[in-house]
Amino acid sequence: NAGVTQTPKFQVLKTGQSMTLQCAQDMNHNSMYWYRQDPGMGLRLIYYSASEGTTDKGEVPNGYNVSRLNKREFSLRLESAAPSQTSVYFCASREGQQGKQYFGPGTRLTVT
Amino acid sequence: GENVEQHPSTLSVQEGDSAVIKCTYSDSASNYFPWYKQELGKGPQLIIDIRSNVGEKKDQRIAVTLNKTAKHFSLHITETQPEDSAVYFCAAFSAGTALIFGKGTTLSVSS
């Protein structure tokens, strides 16, 4: 049982490049989330998926797209990376409506 | 939407002392309040949580209290140890949305 896994662990992009951050969970959770973490800003919600086939915007969705590929996988795409997207990105999944939420180890992204 | 305020942003204590971190939330419909610990270079880890029908919950040296009327909840760590040094986040959840986090508290425990 690996929990929540994320790939890659580190990535450096040039401005304007695109990339997809991958996330998978093996806990059979319905809900999955993408957060970004910046110094002094805490964890801010980018997008979430309450169940397979649905996605919703969070606090900071601009510049990102998501895909809930199946129950296990939830990907985050940057179509045209900008330096302001330099951050640490965390994926999470949640058991049920009021259950516990578990985080992956994070992807450290730098955009130059 | 929900807004969570967390204080203090930094906290330094001596080993063996107690540490208290406080959070307030804005949405009276929120009904689940977890606390996470994040060590350097790692993802946040759930350490304790409380639901709105409970006023206090304890797990060994850590405890959480909830005051629904005042819309605030607190994390209490007793007999602190150097390995308690980390960033702690509170969060609030209301049905149909997602966990919203406070900005975090950096706890330093010196021996």
Side-chain angles (χ1 to χ4, degrees):
Chain A
N1 189 338
V4 180
T5 57
Q6 293 183 237
T7 56
K9 286 186 167 45
F10 301 93
Q11 184 72 49
V12 178
L13 291 178
K14 294 188 188 305
T15 298
Q17 287 185 318
S18 63
M19 79 161 294
T20 300
L21 282 64
Q22 306 286 356
C23 173
Q25 51 92 9
D26 61 2
M27 297 175 281
N28 201 36
H29 290 169
N30 284 321
S31 303
M32 297 185 72
Y33 307 85
W34 278 104
Y35 291 86
R36 62 177 287 174
Q37 184 175 34
D38 304 292
M41 300 297 290
L43 292 151
R44 292 184 293 169
L45 183 66
I46 305 172
Y47 270 95
Y48 66 102
S49 171
S51 61
E52 190 178 351
T54 69
T55 60
D56 286 287
K57 294 179 181 179
E59 303 169 71
V60 289
N62 291 344
Y64 305 96
N65 285 301
V66 291
S67 295
R68 184 72 182 268
L69 305 169
N70 48 55
K71 192 171 187 179
R72 289 188 64 248
E73 298 171 288
F74 188 38
S75 63
L76 179 72
R77 182 160 179 85
L78 287 70
E79 290 290 352
S80 178
S84 60
Q85 294 178 305
T86 293
S87 188
V88 182
Y89 291 86
F90 289 100
C91 178
S93 70
R94 181 180 179 84
E95 53 181 37
Q97 263 293 304
Q98 296 187 34
K100 300 179 190 300
Q101 183 164 312
Y102 300 94
F103 282 84
T107 293
R108 283 147 184 82
L109 175 67
T110 301
V111 183
T112 60
Chain B
E2 177 65 275
N3 182 51
V4 178
E5 299 282 342
Q6 183 172 346
H7 300 281
S9 57
T10 60
L11 180 60
S12 296
V13 300
Q14 292 285 323
E15 183 177 1
D17 287 350
S18 294
V20 180
I21 303 170
K22 299 182 179 182
C23 289
T24 60
Y25 61 98
S26 61
D27 187 353
S28 57
S30 289
N31 55 14
Y32 174 66
F33 307 91
W35 285 88
Y36 286 82
K37 176 183 181 182
Q38 186 178 29
E39 295 175 336
L40 198 62
K42 297 186 178 180
Q45 286 208 307
L46 180 67
I47 56 172
I48 196 167
D49 56 7
I50 192 167
R51 300 186 190 281
S52 57
N53 58 348
V54 175
E56 184 173 359
K57 184 176 178 181
K58 192 172 181 180
D59 182 4
Q60 299 183 354
R61 295 187 297 108
I62 60 173
V64 58
T65 58
L66 171 65
N67 182 327
K68 278 199 69 179
T69 303
K71 290 192 279 189
H72 66 70
F73 55 114
S74 300
L75 177 71
H76 303 253
I77 306 174
T78 59
E79 300 173 19
T80 53
Q81 300 166 4
E83 51 265 39
D84 293 329
S85 296
V87 180
Y88 291 81
F89 291 97
C90 63
F93 174 83
S94 57
T97 61
L99 275 179
I100 300 300
F101 287 81
K103 288 184 167 47
T105 296
T106 300
L107 174 64
S108 300
V109 181
S110 52
S111 54

